[in-house]
Amino acid sequence: MFVAWRELRFARGRFLLIGAVVALITLLVGFLSGLTGGLAAQNISSVLQLPGDRLVLQQPENSDPSFASSSVDEDTVQAWEQADGVESVIPVGIVQSRASASGTDDPTGVALYGLPQDAPATGSNPLFELTPDADTEVGLSSGAADDLGVEVGDTISITGNDFTVAAIGEDLWYSHTPVIVMTPDAWSEASKRVGGTGEATVLAVTGDADWEAVGSQTDTVAETPLASLTALEAFQSEIGSLGLMIVMLFGISALVVGAFFTVWTMQRAGDIAVLKALGATTGSLVRDSLGQALIVLAAGIGVGLAAVVGLGTLAGQALPFVVSPLTTLAPAVVMAVLGLAGAAFALRSVTKADPLTALGSNR
């Protein structure tokens, strides 16, 4: 690393430039990752709280399953309850509507969940903890409470009916709307008022059944909670587009770092030949070059990562932004690996350098 350190000091302008580029790419990737995580949370955080080994949705004849259009009737619920290997079935209703605080005419878009109070034990589940005891009560996520400006004991209006806020829980979202939990009967009536069928949207099924066979018999499809997220149209389109941009930025980072070190290595081909003529091994020169690249990457990624954490924390106050190891450290590690891969691609001139070049054999 002696030569690498000397070069970093001698040509610090060049290395500061590539380090700044790496830092900016890290900032872009980090912000996109944090925004992707925030948007995903506002799409699926409540769905991920549904218990069970499988989530069962209606299977349309000519299209894919969708939370927006799924409707599971009582006969289908009973068929799943009676299926071999099924331990429990929890019918869950989901519909989007509007709610307003009592005495105001400013409605807020919300997602209404209909959950049974006597559902099987689900442990510490923030969604089911909001389930009210009476049809005239509702449980609000913190986001819904903030948007409506209400507290426990206040009254809100949903589809023309008044409800008392019985509980306020964690920040849960469904398709970018905050969650309000109702009893099944109250939810069924609200669903019919907004044009729905009043029947359950999805079944949370626990057990070890023949999922495909039962699904085929009941015109439903049973997917794991993670796989069922593709039935949320907004989730697919948002995460797909943002994920593609992140992948492209990763590719750009590898190309930029690789191009820089390729040009730099070509310019110092004579110096490398001299080192080989003096007895330096190819392995030591490779370690020297990769160590140099690692220093530049570590400095650039470190600065970019610090900017992501600082600015992301501020952005989280106004945007759906998540600062977590998955949205900060994971992209940084990928950036470092791809950057080293790009630098390694530039090592051909190091491994192929001819010591005779240093002795003037090409003159």
Side-chain angles (χ1 to χ4, degrees), residues 56-68:
V56 176
L57 293 166
Q58 180 189 26
Q59 175 63 69
E61 292 184 3
N62 300 317
S63 60
D64 295 327
S66 170
F67 278 90

Side-chain angles (χ1 to χ4, degrees), residues 177-212:
T177 50
V179 168
I180 293 179
V181 179
M182 315 172 73
T183 62
D185 290 340
W187 178 88
S188 181
E189 182 180 347
S191 174
K192 292 176 181 177
R193 284 177 174 266
V194 296
T197 63
E199 298 172 336
T201 304
V202 59
L203 305 180
V205 181
T206 302
D208 187 18
D210 188 341
W211 307 110
E212 293 186 4

Side-chain angles (χ1 to χ4, degrees), residues 293-310:
L294 183 59
I295 292 172
V296 175
L297 287 170
I301 292 174
V303 172
L305 195 58
V308 169
V309 174

Side-chain angles (χ1 to χ4, degrees), residues 16-17 67 69 75 130 167 170 173 200 204 211 213 228 263 287 296 302 338 345:
L16 285 175
L17 178 61
F67 278 90
S69 60
D75 291 339
L130 295 177
E170 295 186 13
W173 296 76
W211 307 110
S228 68
V263 174
R287 288 192 297 272
V296 175
L338 291 178
F345 183 77

